[in-house]
Amino acid sequence: MTASFLLEARGIARRDTRSDTVLLEPTDFALAPGERVSVTGASGAGKSVLLRALALLDPLDSGHLVWHGQPVERRAIPRYRRHVAYLRQRPALFDGTVEDNLRYPYSLHAYHDVRFDRVQAVRLAEAAGRASSFLDKRANDLSGGEAQLTALIRVLQLSPEVLLLDEPTASLDPDAARAVEALVTAWFEAGQGARASVWVSHDPAQAARVSTRRLIMQAGRLSDSKQVQVTR
Ligand SMILES: Nc1ncnc2c1ncn2[C@@H]1O[C@H](COP(=O)(O)OP(=O)(O)OP(=O)(O)O)[C@@H](O)[C@H]1O
Ligand SMILES: [Mg+2]
């Protein structure tokens, strides 16, 4: 039997033990193939906490994730992360060229069966409005927006099934932001209905452009945008 969801979160929750505060209320979330979800909400509402929890980057205090109908076990986490790619809010690049950074994932065990494809990387850079010489730039010399583009290309070249995007255009001008939206849309369409994304944005207009379902995060609680109560 084929599972109807790519990814399900069942009762996942996060607390900060030091301050004894709730970071993420127990949350149920299901992502179907072909879905594009956006998450908006105020700064500090817990949007990054949610995405990091879905990417299994931080230990959950309760609940679990289900991938294609199967609970994700600890030993399956590296494989899970290959399919469910998280793009950090602040990109982490090491000192070296852009190309060095793009090549890096292929040195990891999880990607031992695939090879870096420079032609594909140049194509992605060009689609984001950068010349092929962009790959020769030093990572330390990149602007904030260029670092975000590099991190996005590094993820897209690996053809994940699910993309978890944490404000991927926050440091970009409107034209470059549209180019990123187009790149992600091209990735999505190449999956022919098998891929899905969760896009965190502060910009309601962007959220509307990049999603088919809109969610809102408020003080660690995730809800459908239609169900949000306005408290006065
Ligand atoms: N590992 C952690 N330990 C303790 N507190 C944390 C941790 N991670 C996040 N927080 C706190 O949880 C709250 C939510 O943080 P989060 O980064 O998810 O906000 P956000 O909605 O992504 O905000 P922004 O829009 O500014 O990126 C913040 O108050 C933050 O300080
Ligand atoms: Mg955040």
Side-chain angles (χ1 to χ4, degrees):
M1 196 182 82
T2 318
S4 41
F5 295 111
L6 286 177
L7 171 59
E8 285 170 82
R10 296 188 183 156
I12 59 168
R14 287 279 327 275
R15 296 184 69 79
D16 177 21
T17 44
R18 267 174 307 171
S19 61
D20 196 31
T21 49
V22 173
L23 302 179
L24 181 65
E25 300 267 6
T27 299
D28 292 327
F29 172 72
L31 187 65
E35 260 195 317
R36 304 184 75 179
V37 174
S38 65
V39 181
T40 51
S43 222
K47 303 180 299 296
S48 295
V49 167
L50 170 72
L51 281 204
R52 293 181 60 84
L54 293 176
L56 283 174
L57 287 169
D58 301 320
L60 300 173
D61 292 300
S62 56
H64 66 279
L65 294 183
V66 174
W67 172 246
H68 283 283
Q70 299 290 325
V72 182
E73 290 172 24
R74 184 182 285 268
R75 64 189 160 79
I77 291 178
R79 195 153 31 99
Y80 173 79
R81 293 219 190 98
R82 175 169 173 166
H83 297 298
V84 181
Y86 168 67
L87 196 66
R88 288 166 52 108
Q89 186 162 3
R90 294 177 209 87
L93 304 177
F94 62 83
D95 187 19
T97 63
V98 167
E99 180 168 334
D100 293 336
N101 276 273
L102 297 182
R103 283 178 178 275
Y104 172 70
Y106 299 93
S107 66
L108 303 174
H109 180 69
Y111 297 100
H112 69 277
D113 58 327
V114 281
R115 295 278 166 273
F116 176 68
D117 178 351
R118 196 171 194 281
V119 173
Q120 180 201 23
V122 167
R123 215 172 26 235
L124 288 167
E126 285 175 348
R130 309 287 138 156
S132 58
S133 57
F134 181 66
L135 270 63
D136 304 323
K137 279 195 161 216
R138 294 212 73 82
N140 283 354
D141 298 336
L142 297 178
S143 70
E146 287 173 334
Q148 280 198 317
L149 282 177
T150 303
L152 178 66
I153 293 169
R154 187 170 57 185
V155 157
L156 288 179
Q157 66 181 352
L158 299 166
S159 305
E161 270 179 88
V162 171
L163 262 183
L164 305 173
L165 301 148
D166 201 347
E167 302 193 42
T169 63
S171 312
L172 294 171
D173 61 71
D175 283 350
R178 290 299 188 111
V180 164
E181 291 172 18
L183 266 176
V184 173
T185 299
W187 158 84
F188 178 79
E189 287 173 353
Q192 300 184 321
R195 294 176 175 172
S197 59
V198 182
W199 188 313
V200 168
S201 178
H202 269 284
D203 175 1
Q206 180 180 63
R209 283 195 300 273
V210 301
S211 66
T212 50
R213 177 156 66 109
R214 297 180 65 176
L215 301 178
I216 292 189
M217 197 79 191
Q218 273 183 328
R221 190 187 294 269
L222 186 67
S223 50
D224 198 291
S225 65
K226 292 189 287 293
Q227 295 168 357
V228 171
Q229 303 291 317
V230 179
T231 43
R232 292 175 197 278

